[in-house]
């Protein structure tokens, strides 16, 4: 039975069929770049060998073979293949698909229901799959380019197995390019460097590569093209990046971790990835500032100053000149001494404040602007530290009934080494004063 929303194709010359369609694999063994799944030891290979499928979510970048794998899975185990696109389908289409699957099930034919862009269904629509998946009416295979843990219901995820498809590497794209040349019956008119540039321009997307090959063949250039001529002829591949989606969160996480790991080269690479893909510079400045206080803190107090200066500089200069200040802040953070003592202290102090409730500070620390408050003892016995030796009175500032606690534990790195020495000196003097009182 034909896929929903797909008309039966009209007979046409092979040349009229897009190259990507002509090169679709005819068996799982022909799928390129996903051998970790389709091989004999892979999850898909094991299912095919057993002759039974479980419901799956195929998660991977565009052009990595999700649709082909779903079709070939159905063929390999003798299931009926039905397809929907979440972009064009609604509740009525789902009901129709389930009704058809039930009819075929009564006739002894199992159905693999392939749902492309499944993350585009809302939560209620996703819930609609549950009874039919649980009852075995359909074996669901959903395809998504987005992180399923963010985009799919927990209930649906618990009933499916998530399989991660890899972006096609240089070797896989090279194999695909060789197949395209074989299908066209001639090698592409490219120098070796231009050939490598063509593969790199695909950015792991096999479909994009084949579309570029078609454009190149249709242009019929005279002689072999070098890299510059190829760049002029075909469109440049834009980075795979969506500021509201998985690419955004993956890259900002990699940037933050590279800074934390003191790798300025990697940090600069991820910063460049995001800026050249169109990320909002002020968002990156906010994330750099967060890294400054979370992963450096008082080990280098200038880290925070650098971030704020970069923000002011970017506001003043704008793009692209102001982006150099963002680079400076990024490299400063990545090369600064690291400490999360401030971040850890904050979490411990917040936890303690919630645990101890509304304990009153000791009276000697309270202000006494009125006679009543002075009569109640507010401020009585307070020692003004600047009048004490070394400007340190050693008084107890903790609430009554609460023992002193330690939240901030400076490291021996950067400026915190000096802070640790200073705290140790104060603690020693405090203990001496308390013993003498």
């Amino acid at each position: 039975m034909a896929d929903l929303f797909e008309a039966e194709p009209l007979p046409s010359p092979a040349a009229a069929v897009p190259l990507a369609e002509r090169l679709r694999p005819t068996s799982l063994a022909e799928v390129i770049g996903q051998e970790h799944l389709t091989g004999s030891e892979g999850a898909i290979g094991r299912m095919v060998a057993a002759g039974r499928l479980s419901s799956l979510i195929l998660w991977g970048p565009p052009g990595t073979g999700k649709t082909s794998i779903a079709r070939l899975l159905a063929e390999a185990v003798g299931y009926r293949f039905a397809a929907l696109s979440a972009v064009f389908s609604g509740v009525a289409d789902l009901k129709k698909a389930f009704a058809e699957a039930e009819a075929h099930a009564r006739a002894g034919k199992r159905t693999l229901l392939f749902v492309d862009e499944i993350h585009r269904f809302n939560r209620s629509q996703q819930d609609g799959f549950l009874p039919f998946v649980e009852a075995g009416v359909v074996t669901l295979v959903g395809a998504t380019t987005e992180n399923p843990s963010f985009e799919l219901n927990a209930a649906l995820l618990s009933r499916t197995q998530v399989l991660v498809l890899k972006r096609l590497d240089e070797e896989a794209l090279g194999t695909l390019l060789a197949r395209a040349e074989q299908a066209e019956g001639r090698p592409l008119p490219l120098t070796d460097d231009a050939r490598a540039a063509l593969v790199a321009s695909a950015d792991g997307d096999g479909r994009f590569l084949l579309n570029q090959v078609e454009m190149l063949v249709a242009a019929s250039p005279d002689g072999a093209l070098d890299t510059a001529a190829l760049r002029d002829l075909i469109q440049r591949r834009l980075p795979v990046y969506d500021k509201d989606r998985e690419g955004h969160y993956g890259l900002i996480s990699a940037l933050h971790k590279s800074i934390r790991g003191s790798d300025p080269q990697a940090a600069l690479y991820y910063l460049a990835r995001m800026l050249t893909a169109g990320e909002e510079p002020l968002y990156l400045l906010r994330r750099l500032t967060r890294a400054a206080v979370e992963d450096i803190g008082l080990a280098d107090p200038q880290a925070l100053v650098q971030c704020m200066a970069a923000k002011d500089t970017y506001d003043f200069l704008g793009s692209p000149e102001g982006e150099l200040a963002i680079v400076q802040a990024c490299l400063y953070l990545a090369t600064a001494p690291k400490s999360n003592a401030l971040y850890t202290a904050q979490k411990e102090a917040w936890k303690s404040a919630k645990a101890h409730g509304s304990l009153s500070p000791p009276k000697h620390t309270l202000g006494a602007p009125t006679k009543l408050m002075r009569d109640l003892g507010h401020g009585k016995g307070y020692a003004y530290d600047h009048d004490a030796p070394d400007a340190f009175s050693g008084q107890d500032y903790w609430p009554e009934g609460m023992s002193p606690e330690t939240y901030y534990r400076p490291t021996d790195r950067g400026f915190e080494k000096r802070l640790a020495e200073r705290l140790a000196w104060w603690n020693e003097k405090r203990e001496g004063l308390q013993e003498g009182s």
Side-chain angles (χ1 to χ4, degrees):
M1 181 177 177
D3 297 348
L4 294 175
F5 308 106
E6 291 183 2
E8 290 292 341
L10 297 174
S12 60
V17 180
L19 181 60
E21 187 64 30
R22 281 186 278 148
L23 288 183
R24 278 196 182 277
T26 58
S27 69
L28 288 169
E30 293 182 8
V31 174
I32 295 173
Q34 310 304 334
E35 291 80 9
H36 64 293
L37 297 177
T38 59
S40 59
E41 297 301 315
I44 290 175
R46 290 179 181 275
M47 290 181 195
V48 171
R52 289 186 64 85
L53 306 180
S54 59
S55 290
L56 305 171
I57 301 296
L58 302 179
W59 173 28
T64 52
K66 296 183 289 293
T67 302
S68 293
I69 287 175
R71 288 180 180 275
L72 296 171
L73 261 176
E75 292 178 11
V77 295
Y79 284 21
R80 166 181 168 267
F81 181 80
L84 288 171
S85 169
V87 177
F88 301 110
S89 305
V91 174
D93 305 306
L94 290 174
K95 288 181 177 179
K96 181 180 178 182
F98 293 141
E100 291 173 349
E102 286 178 321
H104 282 276
R106 287 192 291 271
K109 187 71 170 178
R110 299 176 67 88
T111 296
L112 184 154
L113 177 60
F114 174 67
V115 182
D116 197 17
E117 302 288 332
I118 191 171
H119 61 275
R120 294 186 181 272
F121 277 138
N122 62 38
R123 302 287 173 169
S124 296
Q125 289 171 316
Q126 291 178 28
D127 285 339
F129 288 98
L130 301 179
F132 299 97
V133 171
E134 288 179 339
V137 174
V138 297
T139 296
L140 174 65
V141 177
T144 179
T145 56
E146 305 300 334
N147 190 326
S149 60
F150 297 146
E151 304 295 335
L152 300 184
N153 280 355
L156 186 58
L157 283 176
S158 71
R159 292 162 176 81
T160 57
Q161 181 179 354
V162 177
L163 301 182
V164 180
L165 280 73
K166 299 177 180 179
R167 66 189 295 278
L168 301 186
D169 59 19
E170 184 177 344
E171 181 180 356
L173 290 170
T175 300
L176 190 59
L177 190 56
R179 289 185 184 178
E181 290 176 318
Q182 184 176 4
E184 294 294 337
R186 52 175 171 160
L188 296 176
L190 298 172
T191 65
D192 290 343
D193 288 344
R195 186 182 183 87
L198 178 64
V199 168
S201 74
D203 195 23
D205 185 335
R207 186 185 303 108
F208 181 90
L209 177 64
L210 295 178
N211 290 342
Q212 298 291 67
V213 169
E214 276 194 308
M215 187 183 303
L216 182 59
V217 170
S220 299
D222 297 327
L225 301 178
D226 60 15
T227 303
L230 176 66
R231 187 182 302 114
D232 292 339
L233 180 64
I234 65 175
Q235 57 186 334
R236 181 178 178 271
R237 174 71 169 173
L238 294 176
V240 177
Y241 186 76
D242 187 330
K243 287 187 279 186
D244 297 323
R245 297 293 181 179
E246 177 68 11
H248 164 86
Y249 296 108
L251 289 180
I252 196 61
S253 177
L255 171 60
H256 194 148
K257 289 179 172 64
S258 298
I259 289 172
R260 180 183 296 151
S262 300
D263 190 334
Q265 318 305 337
L268 184 56
Y269 167 75
Y270 290 116
L271 180 71
R273 282 275 301 274
M274 299 184 81
L275 282 173
T276 58
E279 182 57 79
E280 174 58 49
L282 289 178
Y283 169 78
L284 289 168
L285 283 164
R286 287 194 293 271
R287 298 313 303 171
L288 290 176
T289 304
R290 168 69 186 195
V293 293
E294 178 181 339
D295 295 300
I296 297 167
L298 292 172
D300 187 349
Q302 282 296 313
L304 180 57
V305 176
Q306 285 281 332
C307 290
M308 300 313 297
K311 187 263 184 189
D312 290 343
T313 303
Y314 180 78
D315 284 343
F316 186 60
L317 294 179
S319 291
E321 292 89 348
E323 292 172 5
L324 192 58
I326 304 177
V327 170
Q328 177 174 320
C330 175
L331 294 177
Y332 191 97
L333 300 186
T335 55
K338 302 301 186 295
S339 170
N340 71 341
L342 184 150
Y343 181 46
T344 301
Q346 183 215 14
K347 292 191 291 183
E348 292 186 7
W350 264 234
K351 181 179 178 181
S352 180
K354 293 176 182 178
H356 290 290
S358 302
L359 296 177
S360 176
K363 286 187 177 181
H364 69 266
T365 66
L366 300 177
T370 68
K371 182 177 182 299
L372 174 61
M373 298 173 76
R374 288 192 294 273
D375 290 343
L376 291 174
H378 290 198
K380 184 178 181 179
Y382 171 65
Y384 186 60
D385 285 85
H386 293 290
D387 291 339
D390 298 318
F392 183 75
S393 69
Q395 272 197 312
D396 184 357
Y397 300 102
W398 291 88
E400 293 183 10
M402 181 178 175
S403 300
E405 297 183 354
T406 299
Y407 309 125
Y408 179 54
R409 302 173 182 84
T411 67
D412 61 355
R413 295 182 292 277
F415 183 66
E416 279 195 330
K417 185 175 183 179
R418 291 177 59 189
L419 294 181
E421 294 170 354
R422 191 177 301 167
L423 287 178
W425 183 79
W426 277 330
N427 288 336
E428 184 178 353
K429 284 187 68 68
R430 181 178 289 112
E431 291 173 2
L433 290 169
Q434 290 174 353
E435 289 175 1
S437 61

